[in-house]
Amino acid sequence: MKTEYDERQKEARGRGYMYGFFATIITNGLLMVLSISCDIEVLGISLYFIPILIGIIAQVTYCVFNDAYVGLNNNMTRFFVGMTFITAFNFFVGIKALTDGELIVDGKFQGPFVNILCGSIFLILIVEMLIKKLIDRNEE
């Protein structure tokens, strides 16, 4: 099923994407400047994912708090179950790598650290949506 949005939501989503884009660009710039004075190679492959993560968080946060993240025809129960599963799976992969000694190799974070970052995105999304729900409930 394709998610449907009204005109106001589409406009807000466009602004959210813009903010996400600029957050990604700014984060990339900050990481470049930081790489001059610090050894950020410890981040390993996640160094390339962090700007994407920040951009996604900026876009999602803007859309959630401007009622533009959830479409008109979304089933919220199914959505929360899916987000919970994705969050748990990503954290499981990261924790498994940690317990197996594969999360950090030669002083650098490895691929499973990206799973922890992905799990964090979904956890932040769930928390933001719950906060927004509480805000809406208090306004009524």
Side-chain angles (χ1 to χ4, degrees):
M1 170 172 40
K2 186 176 179 191
T3 302
E4 296 175 18
Y5 299 98
D6 63 24
E7 289 302 315
R8 185 200 57 76
Q9 287 177 309
K10 289 177 184 176
E11 185 179 322
R13 288 174 61 80
R15 275 193 305 280
Y17 286 121
M18 179 188 67
Y19 292 139
F21 170 77
F22 285 120
T24 302
I25 298 300
I26 290 167
T27 304
N28 265 322
L30 290 173
L31 286 173
M32 285 186 341
V33 169
L34 192 60
S35 71
I36 294 169
S37 60
C38 300
D39 180 23
I40 59 174
E41 292 299 317
V42 69
L43 295 172
I45 189 109
S46 65
L47 175 66
Y48 305 105
F49 184 71
I50 290 171
I52 297 168
L53 169 92
I54 300 299
I56 291 170
I57 290 171
Q59 187 269 338
V60 166
T61 300
Y62 182 84
C63 289
V64 165
F65 287 102
N66 286 280
D67 296 316
Y69 191 76
V70 177
L72 302 173
N73 60 338
N74 286 119
N75 179 330
M76 292 310 295
T77 302
R78 189 176 345 160
F79 178 80
F80 273 108
V81 168
M83 291 298 107
T84 303
F85 175 76
I86 292 169
T87 302
F89 176 77
N90 278 292
F91 281 132
F92 172 77
V93 169
I95 291 169
K96 174 113 174 68
L98 178 65
T99 59
D100 292 346
E102 299 171 352
L103 186 64
I104 301 172
V105 176
D106 295 330
K108 293 182 181 179
F109 284 105
Q110 300 302 304
F113 185 64
V114 173
N115 288 93
I116 293 172
L117 295 176
C118 286
S120 300
I121 290 174
F122 290 107
L123 184 61
I124 289 168
L125 171 62
I126 291 168
V127 169
E128 285 179 348
M129 293 187 78
L130 292 173
I131 290 170
K132 177 64 175 154
K133 192 172 189 173
L134 289 172
I135 290 170
D136 290 347
R137 188 176 294 154
N138 288 336
E139 286 179 355
E140 291 176 2

